[in-house]
Amino acid sequence: MWRKLFTSVPAFRAVKAPFRSFKSSSRGAEKDFFKDLDAQLRAFRDKAAAAMPGSDWSPIELTPGLPPERADVVIVGGGVVGWSIAYWLKRKERVRDGLKVLVVEKDPTYSQASTVLSCGGIRQQFSLKENIQLSLFSAHFMKNINNHLSVVNEDPVDLQFNHSGYLFLASEKSAHIMEENYRTQRYAGAKVTLLSPSQLKERYPWMNTDGVALASLGLENEGWFDPWSLLNALRRKAVSMGVHECFGEVTGFKCAANLAETTDGEVLNLQRIKYVNVRMPNSLEYQPVECAIVINAAGANSGQIASMLGIGSGPKESVSGVPFPVEPRKRFVYVVHCPDGPGLDTPFLIDYSGVYCRREGLGGNYITGMSPEETEEPDISNLDVDHDFFQEKVWHRLAHRVPAFEQLKVSSAWAGFYDYNTFDQNGIIGLHPLVPNMYFATGFSGHGLQQSPAVGLGVAELILDGGYKTIDLSAFDLKRILLQEPILESNIV
């Protein structure tokens, strides 16, 4: 090898001719010769050093974009939740560069990512104190985002945070629930107020208050922001802190299995993940990544990731037979233009009929939509928009509440996926008992974006501190699913 290396270097054969004509050359040519000679000698030394044992040099050209062969933590899913977890893990690591974190995202363009297809809302008007606390923490994080996510020599982060608040409307039938939620929200620290129909009409004269018995308005820390800006800020900061990024698809796991028996005599197959197989985009090539911990933050695809480990495939009435209850649910968002629509004081309006609406920019544009009935869930094989859904379900409800919208025009529309938790529509955070080194952070059913900064911190605390320190999120643990004990959130949009 060494003989081949030295004889393959052309620098020493190429210098004979210049030496023969050296005396007749000009001083400029002399300088050029020695400069060229020095460069070739330097290249030779670099090549020789690269071939020494222990170096990273390889005669085989590697495929660009491959993930590292080893990582301490592999995060499956490069959406806003995944990057938040990556950021907080690096922020909390006790030794600089002591934790090697890899984020794997299968969509290099993010064109189908739930994060960037969201409406970008943030609110504290929930019925569960944990959801309120998550969104309160995230609101404060976003208001001070450059204290957290600024990067040296990069532009400051601008989330375009609009603080217009959320406005929930309740009918006579649901007014008592709104009053209960209001008390919970105030106790948890949210700034909200209740409005009577007459107060509502006085504050928002463009609104038809027929059928409204009570309204709840967020006064602080509520509104909407640009989802892409938050995602990109978390990603940029995490990468600057040493997080590795890979665009590829997780296709499977290599695990070590152990058998354990419960007190009821049920034999459990416990799997500890040793390797994550990552396939490169538009290729059959894949890279196995050795790791200690895997985090399933794959959003709408997290149920598919869980099924790769056999979760839910065991006998019914057994722990291994309980399916992971997260699946993609498609939601349509319509952009409408209405020059005579509500003005700059328009909040994020949530009608009790299910329709929602908020302002989009300053040019008379608004976004609107609603969730379909359980029996009318649209096809999830694509992200095509059903325009008939707007005509048949959304428009008449929207125009009833805001009469100016009778004259609207649909200018565009898009669709995105919820990571929908069919069990209780709340996030799933924590370890799975059958896979003791896989953490889950998914199933937020539409409010994962707004809670992502706090969720990322919570998962990092579980991993590095052994438990929650900032917000107690144990209510969202996986065991509630295995025990069939749902926690219900009444303010799902």
Side-chain angles (χ1 to χ4, degrees):
M1 172 182 174
W2 287 106
R3 182 180 293 112
K4 182 178 179 181
L5 175 64
F6 279 101
T7 58
S8 66
V9 178
F12 297 100
R13 294 197 298 273
V15 299
K16 286 186 177 180
F19 271 118
R20 285 196 297 268
S21 59
F22 179 70
K23 290 183 179 179
S24 62
S25 64
S26 67
R27 184 175 298 274
E30 176 184 341
K31 290 182 178 179
D32 290 343
F33 166 74
F34 281 109
K35 183 178 180 181
D36 181 64
L37 177 62
D38 183 67
Q40 294 203 45
L41 287 170
R42 189 162 51 248
F44 167 74
R45 288 194 297 268
D46 291 343
K47 186 174 181 181
M52 293 293 288
S55 75
D56 293 331
W57 179 82
S58 170
I60 302 173
E61 185 176 352
L62 297 177
T63 301
L66 282 175
E69 294 182 354
R70 298 175 186 83
D72 297 303
V73 180
V74 175
I75 300 172
V76 184
V80 69
V81 172
W83 279 111
S84 176
I85 296 169
Y87 161 72
W88 283 111
L89 284 172
K90 296 300 287 184
R91 175 79 177 268
K92 288 177 62 62
E93 66 180 354
R94 294 173 177 83
V95 178
R96 185 171 182 177
D97 297 326
L99 199 63
K100 190 170 185 178
V101 179
L102 170 66
V103 176
V104 182
E105 168 56 40
K106 74 173 186 176
D107 182 7
T109 66
Y110 281 89
S111 60
Q112 297 189 13
S114 297
T115 296
V116 299
L117 297 173
S118 163
C119 292
I122 180 168
R123 59 186 168 99
Q124 287 81 54
Q125 295 187 64
F126 290 97
S127 62
L128 292 175
K129 65 178 177 62
E130 290 86 358
N131 281 328
I132 300 167
Q133 292 168 339
L134 282 171
S135 288
L136 267 176
F137 178 94
S138 295
H140 291 300
F141 180 92
M142 293 181 200
K143 289 166 70 175
N144 301 283
I145 194 162
N146 282 292
N147 293 339
H148 299 282
L149 302 185
S150 63
V151 176
V152 176
N153 296 327
E154 296 284 353
D155 293 335
V157 181
D158 180 11
L159 294 183
Q160 303 171 46
F161 198 153
N162 187 302
H163 296 267
S164 294
Y166 265 69
L167 178 64
F168 280 82
L169 306 181
S171 64
E172 193 71 41
K173 182 179 179 181
S174 58
H176 69 285
I177 298 176
M178 178 172 283
E179 290 176 335
E180 292 173 5
N181 293 345
Y182 168 78
R183 288 190 288 270
T184 302
Q185 292 154 14
R186 295 286 294 185
Y187 183 78
K191 301 295 190 295
V192 293
T193 188
L194 296 179
L195 301 174
S196 67
S198 59
Q199 291 172 319
L200 188 65
K201 187 67 175 180
E202 181 180 359
R203 189 160 187 157
Y204 305 110
W206 44 263
M207 185 182 302
N208 172 22
T209 58
D210 289 352
V212 178
L214 194 63
S216 177
L217 175 65
L219 302 176
E220 293 182 17
N221 302 315
E222 290 195 344
W224 56 91
F225 60 93
D226 178 37
W228 171 251
S229 295
L230 178 61
L231 170 64
N232 193 52
L234 285 164
R235 178 184 173 195
R236 185 183 72 173
K237 181 64 174 181
V239 170
S240 76
M241 298 168 78
V243 173
H244 298 263
E245 178 182 27
C246 170
F247 291 112
E249 183 177 0
V250 171
T251 58
F253 303 92
K254 183 178 179 181
C255 304
N258 290 295
L259 297 179
E261 187 173 345
T262 68
T263 55
D264 299 331
E266 180 183 352
V267 177
L268 302 178
N269 182 23
L270 306 182
Q271 300 187 82
R272 177 170 287 276
I273 298 171
K274 296 293 186 180
Y275 292 88
V276 178
N277 289 333
V278 180
R279 187 176 66 192
M280 307 313 296
N282 305 313
S283 172
L284 296 178
E285 184 176 10
Y286 76 93
Q287 170 77 46
V289 181
E290 186 180 4
C291 60
I293 292 172
V294 177
I295 301 172
N296 186 345
N301 297 311
S302 55
Q304 180 184 355
I305 298 297
S307 67
M308 294 178 186
L309 293 160
I311 294 174
S313 63
K316 290 185 178 181
E317 309 301 327
S318 69
V319 173
S320 59
V322 177
F324 190 72
V326 177
E327 62 184 36
R329 293 280 181 96
K330 187 160 70 173
R331 296 292 180 262
F332 307 119
V333 181
Y334 304 93
V335 181
V336 302
H337 181 66
C338 183
D340 298 323
L344 296 179
D345 65 340
T346 307
F348 203 131
L349 175 63
I350 312 292
D351 188 53
Y352 59 77
S353 67
V355 72
Y356 66 82
C357 173
R358 73 159 172 85
R359 184 169 51 81
E360 175 72 355
L362 303 175
N365 294 315
Y366 306 83
I367 63 174
T368 184
M370 66 179 295
S371 294
E373 298 291 334
E374 188 77 20
T375 57
E376 299 176 343
E377 286 289 344
D379 174 34
I380 61 170
S381 63
N382 56 57
L383 283 176
D384 295 344
V385 175
D386 182 357
H387 290 277
D388 291 337
F389 184 78
F390 176 82
Q391 298 287 338
E392 297 169 4
K393 302 292 184 180
V394 178
W395 193 2
H396 69 92
R397 291 180 170 91
L398 184 62
H400 170 74
R401 189 56 61 210
V402 184
F405 285 139
E406 291 178 0
Q407 306 301 319
L408 64 77
K409 180 179 179 180
V410 178
S411 55
S412 65
W414 74 83
F417 291 125
Y418 273 10
D419 55 338
Y420 193 82
N421 176 359
T422 60
F423 183 65
D424 60 12
Q425 293 81 62
N426 277 301
I428 301 172
I429 304 173
L431 284 167
H432 196 288
L434 297 181
V435 191
N437 65 334
M438 173 176 270
Y439 290 81
F440 287 78
T442 183
F444 297 99
S445 305
H447 45 268
L449 171 68
Q450 62 180 290
Q451 297 179 345
S452 58
V455 169
L457 175 58
V459 174
E461 289 174 345
L462 271 184
I463 293 172
L464 299 180
D465 300 325
Y468 297 114
K469 302 295 183 182
T470 307
I471 304 174
D472 184 4
L473 302 177
S474 56
F476 296 132
D477 194 88
L478 258 162
K479 66 182 180 183
R480 78 181 195 274
I481 297 168
L482 302 177
L483 298 174
Q484 295 295 293
E485 297 176 351
I487 54 171
L488 300 178
E489 170 59 59
S490 62
N491 267 13
I492 296 293
V493 178

